[in-house]
Amino acid sequence: DAGVTQSPTHLIKTRGQHVTLRCSPISGHKSVSWYQQVLGQGPQFIFQYYEKEERGRGNFPDRFSARQFPNYSSELNVNALLLGDSALYLCASSLAPGQGHGEQYFGPGTRLTVT
Amino acid sequence: AQSVAQPEDQVNVAEGNPLTVKCTYSVSGNPYLFWYVQYPNRGLQFLLKYITGDNLVKGSYGFEAEFNKSQTSFHLKKPSALVSDSALYFCAVSPLTGTDKLIFGTGTRLQVFP
């Protein structure tokens, strides 16, 4: 079975631009979470989506948004990019919120660089 | 507020020696605790978790972790380190909000020398 997949692998954007990151969960997993990992820090929770509805949101500005599609894949959108948005963006999937007691399966991440 | 602390930025150990990577936590109620490992240019891989029960939890690749409620610690251990264990290790806690949200520590880089 394929694991969690993310695209693109790397991305370079300019300040003020918009970016869309994509994630496909493991087959059978209905929940997707997004994390931001800035260099030298642990991942920070951004969103969780389950059955196309937002189930959790971290302490991120409204420039960050996400959605989940009927096939359970997900997009993370970031508007008006800032230099500080440069990070590795990780997607994680699970069967459903809480069912794995927090055990999630992470994708390889998208490395976003904002110049 | 719920938090996780990993007091060591880096741990160095010789191959074949035992290793310990430290983690302390601050949560309300009973914690769900996790260890993840991250190899270069890779996502996080689940190693083990503590939910309830035996304080010694066994996980992948020969790793284990000891839950100590009185010291609010969840240290990762391995009896004999391998060079291939060299990676970035993250401790995490689940705040049990009905989501899968994990709160991660800042990570500890493990370097195993031949």
Side-chain angles (χ1 to χ4, degrees):
Chain A
D1 264 346
V4 177
T5 58
Q6 293 185 243
S7 63
T9 304
H10 296 87
L11 203 52
I12 300 175
K13 290 286 190 178
T14 304
R15 277 176 296 177
Q17 286 188 317
H18 162 271
V19 68
T20 298
L21 311 181
R22 296 177 175 82
C23 171
S24 292
I26 290 172
S27 177
H29 284 191
K30 299 182 178 181
S31 176
V32 170
S33 297
W34 288 94
Y35 290 81
Q36 180 196 64
Q37 185 179 10
V38 173
L39 193 63
Q41 298 182 19
Q44 299 286 319
F45 175 78
I46 308 175
F47 287 111
Q48 180 177 22
Y49 274 76
Y50 174 65
E51 295 284 11
K52 298 183 290 181
E53 291 191 0
E54 182 182 302
R55 293 294 296 268
R57 172 185 283 258
N59 187 25
F60 280 81
D62 291 343
R63 299 185 296 108
F64 288 76
S65 64
R67 56 179 176 168
Q68 187 177 33
F69 299 98
N71 66 353
Y72 305 111
S73 66
S74 177
E75 284 182 355
L76 175 69
N77 296 284
V78 186
N79 292 324
L81 285 167
L82 303 174
L83 294 179
D85 295 331
S86 296
L88 180 67
Y89 288 84
L90 296 166
C91 173
S93 76
S94 66
L95 290 168
Q99 281 197 9
H101 301 295
E103 182 177 341
Q104 299 165 67
Y105 297 85
F106 284 81
T110 293
R111 172 73 62 187
L112 172 65
T113 301
V114 182
T115 62
Chain B
Q2 321 232 14
S3 64
V4 172
Q6 293 182 244
E8 303 155 316
D9 289 336
Q10 180 155 332
V11 170
N12 299 315
V13 63
E15 187 174 33
N17 283 359
L19 69 87
T20 299
V21 182
K22 296 179 181 178
C23 171
T24 59
Y25 64 89
S26 174
V27 299
S28 53
N30 295 320
Y32 285 5
L33 296 161
F34 302 81
W35 276 101
Y36 282 82
V37 59
Q38 187 174 37
Y39 295 98
N41 301 315
R42 302 278 296 277
L44 298 170
Q45 295 180 30
F46 170 81
L47 277 179
L48 51 80
K49 66 182 178 184
Y50 172 82
I51 304 298
T52 186
D54 194 349
N55 289 342
L56 187 63
V57 179
K58 294 192 181 295
S60 307
Y61 312 119
F63 283 93
E64 56 190 27
E66 186 170 10
F67 171 67
N68 188 317
K69 189 171 184 178
S70 62
Q71 297 186 2
T72 62
S73 66
F74 189 56
H75 300 333
L76 181 70
K77 300 182 179 184
K78 187 173 183 181
S80 179
L82 300 172
V83 172
S84 58
D85 292 330
S86 299
L88 190 55
Y89 290 80
F90 289 97
C91 182
V93 62
S94 172
L96 303 180
T97 55
T99 73
D100 282 340
K101 174 182 178 180
L102 290 173
I103 299 171
F104 285 89
T106 52
T108 298
R109 185 163 301 283
L110 174 65
Q111 190 71 48
V112 182
F113 295 95

